[in-house]
């Protein structure tokens, strides 16, 4: 297949003025190679718009019509999606000898219609989903990201440990300021030699990735326990999709009236915008995998959605689950795989049935939504064909009932292939998450809270720079909940969910043990915990009105986000941070241009949610 990204190996002079580079290299200013341009900036003042539904609608219309904060300049350009792009090249050399892999990316707006409805969307290198990053464990990854939008952005490398390079984690307001419009940022880090499996990358600035800034990461290794047990690799990217830009939806979601006007009247607290459709590999219809017969395929499932949990299956084909979030598993056979936002699974599928075309099913778990969309077709279909010419499948779904719940695979089915018992804990951190009404910015709103804190991104003063400048600190802005450990500790994070919905939570920079989960609040000494080779993941689902207990080690220096991966919820405040070994953070060699880009934040870049929701601006 043709490789997805525009790439080359080597190094680059990453941050030079556009005109200087144009003169030295003979390129034009609209050249798509990453370049840098100085910008004049000023800071928007907070504007509080007080009014009823008319004002809210006006703000949304302004945000949607003018694209404020995203700089929407409607073009006729269309993105590229080809079915063959999702079949990995079998000639890729899997080796333990590291190399440097260099990518150049351009983030911009195009018009597209993944589900048949044309709308502006955000893409990388004119591709949707975005370019595949395919590497070996231990490789150095260099990605030069040029921002051609009119709003700041960042790229997060979901699941990457980033040991020693926390400043490359790409989290707005925590490890980085947004890349200003017209400038670039070079992400440079080494893939951890112990990491392998299925990961992804996405924008980590408010809800931007909802509009299309996301793509897959595949890390190969001859040390992966399941390496050599399959013949071919294929990607299956699942995502929900909206007909409106997320900036407008988010403005309405965070307004006093909410999405349906009842959000803040005692009903559906925190009710999210329900999606308009679901996609398989960037398409609502027409997604196809053309496979070969009598082979074992590793299907790498990735949920890149914003809200939706999917139930994945292939008609008449049993799936053997062998990986969860980069951890190889003891194989377990299932008909369906539940996969929540940001999670990844690998399943082995045998193309050993009758030659023909079969339905690939990704059923959207509509039961997880607080609000229904009557026009949503929750059954998203693709086609898998082998041994014959593709046709419209007439195969039927499995007959066993579909679970009406929003939970992960049972923990007894997620058994790591390499056993590892957790060490004894040395610290308990108790957190409650909830949605609460608050009198903020002139009206009653429902925001997400971790303990008593609703997170707001400090886009011009990320917490990593606060530690780098001043050393170990324990006092922060009221919108920042940070747990500080300047010694290596073993943390038991106990979280009680006081919301009626389930939430997929992700911890940056760590793989954690799942010790327990269940209904109600955690009861010390009563709620059961598993300490013998428990599941290890980086994203898990906390049940509605339930609890989780996870354990991790604070041996990775940096500022690490722990947040709900439902995009609307993170933007509403469901995020906290762990500051691990902050005295080591002062030893980081942080690129000088990061400070420069922080000083350039303006209304064209990202500002806090308590500002932009009144302006109709994207965060």
């Amino acid at each position: 297949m043709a490789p997805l990204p525009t790439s080359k190996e080597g190094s680059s002079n990453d941050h030079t003025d556009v005109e200087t580079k144009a003169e030295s290299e003979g390129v034009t200013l609209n050249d798509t190679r990453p370049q840098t341009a100085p910008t004049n900036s000023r800071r928007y003042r907070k504007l509080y718009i007080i009014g009823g539904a008319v004002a809210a609608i006006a703000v949304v219309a302004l945000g949607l019509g003018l694209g404020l904060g995203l700089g929407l300049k409607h073009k006729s350009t269309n993105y590229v999606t080809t079915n063959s792009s999702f079949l990995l090249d079998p000639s890729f050399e899997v080796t333990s000898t590291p190399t440097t892999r260099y990518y150049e990316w351009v983030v911009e707006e195009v018009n597209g219609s993944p589900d048949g409805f044309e709308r502006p969307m955000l893409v990388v290198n004119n591709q949707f989903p975005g370019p595949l990053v395919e590497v070996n464990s231990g490789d150095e990854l260099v990605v030069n990201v040029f921002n051609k939008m009119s709003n700041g952005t960042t790229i997060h490398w979901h699941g990457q440990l980033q040991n020693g390079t926390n400043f490359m984690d790409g989290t707005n307001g925590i490890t980085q300021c947004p890349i200003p419009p017209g400038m670039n940022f070079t992400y440079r880090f080494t893939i951890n030699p112990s990491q392998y499996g299925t990961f992804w990358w996405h924008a980590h600035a408010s809800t931007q990735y909802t509009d299309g800034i996301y793509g897959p990461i595949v890390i190969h290794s001859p040390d992966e326990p399941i390496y050599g047990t399959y013949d071919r690799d294929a990607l299956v990217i699942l995502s929900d999709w909206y007909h409106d830009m997320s900036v407008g939806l988010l403005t309405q979601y965070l307004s006093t009236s909410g999405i349906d006007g009842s959000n803040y009247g005692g009903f559906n607290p925190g009710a999210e915008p329900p999606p308009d459709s679901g996609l398989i590999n960037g398409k609502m219809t027409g997604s196809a995998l053309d496979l070969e017969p009598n082979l074992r395929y590793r299907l790498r499932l990735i949920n890149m959605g914003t809200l939706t949990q999917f139930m994945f299956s292939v008609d008449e084909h049993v799936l053997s689950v062998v990986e969860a979030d980069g951890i190889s598993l003891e194989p377990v056979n299932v008909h369906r795989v539940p996969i929540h936002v940001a999670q990844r699974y690998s399943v082995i599928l045998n193309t050993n049935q009758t030659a023909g075309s079969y339905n690939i099913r990704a059923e959207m778990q509509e039961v997880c939504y607080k609000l229904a969309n009557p026009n949503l077709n929750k059954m998203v279909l693709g086609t898998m064909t082998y041994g014959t010419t593709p046709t419209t499948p007439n195969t039927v779904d499995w007959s066993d009932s579909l679970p009406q719940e929003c939970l992960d695979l049972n923990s007894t089915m997620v058994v790591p292939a390499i056993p590892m018992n957790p060490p004894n804990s040395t610290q308990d951190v108790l957190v409650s998450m909830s949605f609460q009404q608050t009198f903020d910015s002139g009206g009653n709103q429902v925001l997400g809270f971790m303990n008593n804190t609703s997170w707001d991104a400090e886009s011009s003063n990320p917490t990593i720079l606060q530690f780098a400048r001043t050393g170990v600190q324990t006092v922060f802005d009221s919108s920042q909940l940070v747990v500080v450990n300047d010694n290596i500790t073993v943390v038991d994070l106990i979280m009680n969910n006081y919301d009626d919905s389930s939430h997929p939570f992700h911890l940056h920079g760590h793989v954690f043990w799942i010790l327990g989960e269940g209904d109600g609040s955690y009861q010390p000494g009563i709620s059961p915990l598993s300490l013998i080779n428990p599941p290890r993941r980086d994203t898990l689902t906390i049940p509605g009105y339930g609890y989780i207990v996870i354990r991790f080690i604070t041996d990775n220096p940096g500022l690490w986000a722990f947040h709900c991966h439902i995009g609307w919820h993170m933007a509403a405040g469901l995020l906290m941070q762990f500051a691990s070994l902050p005295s080591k953070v002062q030893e980081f060699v942080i690129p000088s241009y990061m400070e420069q880009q922080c000083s350039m934040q303006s209304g064209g870049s990202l500002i806090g949610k308590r500002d932009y929701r009144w302006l109709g601006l994207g965060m």
Side-chain angles (χ1 to χ4, degrees), residues 413-432:
M413 306 171 73
V414 186
V415 179
I418 299 178
M420 185 182 299
N421 296 337
N424 294 329
S425 66
T426 57
Q427 179 186 15
D428 288 344
V429 175
L430 181 61
V431 177
S432 63

Side-chain angles (χ1 to χ4, degrees), residues 424-577:
N424 294 329
S425 66
T426 57
Q427 179 186 15
D428 288 344
V429 175
L430 181 61
V431 177
S432 63
M433 64 135 291
S434 61
F435 284 90
Q436 303 174 27
Q437 280 192 334
T438 179
F439 293 90
D440 183 51
S441 301
N444 292 331
Q445 296 142 7
V446 172
L447 297 176
F449 285 82
M450 306 281 282
N451 288 351
N452 296 315
T453 304
S454 181
W455 177 73
D456 200 18
E458 297 189 320
S459 297
S460 61
N461 188 30
T463 44
I464 189 174
L465 291 185
Q466 295 178 36
F467 277 93
R469 295 167 184 149
T470 62
V472 179
Q473 65 183 79
T474 56
V475 178
F476 304 89
D477 183 85
S478 61
S479 64
Q480 308 296 309
L481 174 59
V482 185
V483 176
V484 181
N485 281 298
D486 207 27
N487 296 300
I488 295 177
T489 59
V490 181
V491 173
D492 275 0
L493 174 59
I494 303 159
M495 188 164 73
N496 293 312
N497 178 11
Y498 296 123
D499 185 55
D500 60 349
S501 297
S502 64
H503 296 263
F505 266 80
H506 169 54
L507 177 60
H508 290 214
H510 297 79
V511 175
F512 51 73
W513 289 272
I514 303 175
L515 304 189
E517 51 192 324
D519 296 328
S521 296
Y522 175 73
Q523 302 295 320
I526 299 175
S527 300
L529 299 179
S530 174
L531 299 175
I532 306 301
N533 194 27
R536 304 194 299 273
R537 306 194 68 158
D538 62 44
T539 309
L540 87 162
T541 302
I542 179 172
Y545 294 134
Y547 71 89
I548 56 169
V549 182
I550 64 174
R551 183 172 293 179
F552 64 95
I553 306 172
T554 65
D555 59 354
N556 192 358
L559 278 295
W560 305 108
F562 178 64
H563 65 92
C564 179
H565 220 289
I566 290 175
W568 313 114
H569 295 169
M570 189 189 77
L574 287 184
L575 183 149
M576 63 178 292
Q577 300 170 58

Side-chain angles (χ1 to χ4, degrees), residues 317-498:
H317 288 74
V318 172
L319 306 174
S320 181
V321 184
V322 295
E323 179 214 351
D325 295 355
I327 302 297
S328 295
L329 305 177
E330 294 292 344
V332 58
N333 292 337
V334 299
H335 289 165
R336 298 185 178 92
V337 179
I339 179 168
H340 218 319
V341 174
Q343 292 183 328
R344 295 89 62 210
Y345 289 100
S346 283
V347 299
I348 303 298
L349 177 144
N350 280 297
T351 55
N352 58 0
Q353 304 298 312
T354 303
S357 295
Y358 297 84
N359 282 314
I360 297 173
R361 300 178 185 268
E363 183 159 1
M364 307 173 76
Q365 293 290 80
E366 195 176 21
V367 68
C368 306
Y369 304 158
K370 289 177 181 286
L371 298 175
N373 181 347
N375 298 316
L376 175 67
N377 181 359
K378 65 180 183 179
M379 182 63 79
V380 189
L381 296 177
T383 302
M384 177 189 72
T385 302
Y386 55 85
T388 187
T389 302
T391 59
T392 300
N394 58 8
T395 56
V396 296
D397 196 0
W398 293 99
S399 60
D400 46 323
S401 61
L402 188 70
Q404 295 299 302
E405 57 187 19
C406 304
L407 299 175
D408 299 335
L409 278 175
N410 189 289
S411 60
T412 61
M413 306 171 73
V414 186
V415 179
I418 299 178
M420 185 182 299
N421 296 337
N424 294 329
S425 66
T426 57
Q427 179 186 15
D428 288 344
V429 175
L430 181 61
V431 177
S432 63
M433 64 135 291
S434 61
F435 284 90
Q436 303 174 27
Q437 280 192 334
T438 179
F439 293 90
D440 183 51
S441 301
N444 292 331
Q445 296 142 7
V446 172
L447 297 176
F449 285 82
M450 306 281 282
N451 288 351
N452 296 315
T453 304
S454 181
W455 177 73
D456 200 18
E458 297 189 320
S459 297
S460 61
N461 188 30
T463 44
I464 189 174
L465 291 185
Q466 295 178 36
F467 277 93
R469 295 167 184 149
T470 62
V472 179
Q473 65 183 79
T474 56
V475 178
F476 304 89
D477 183 85
S478 61
S479 64
Q480 308 296 309
L481 174 59
V482 185
V483 176
V484 181
N485 281 298
D486 207 27
N487 296 300
I488 295 177
T489 59
V490 181
V491 173
D492 275 0
L493 174 59
I494 303 159
M495 188 164 73
N496 293 312
N497 178 11
Y498 296 123

Side-chain angles (χ1 to χ4, degrees), residues 26 32 69 81 115 127 158 180 283 299 304 359 366 413 471 563:
T32 58
T81 296
D115 63 354
Q127 297 172 222
H158 188 106
K283 298 179 180 180
L299 304 184
M304 300 187 188
N359 282 314
E366 195 176 21
M413 306 171 73
H563 65 92

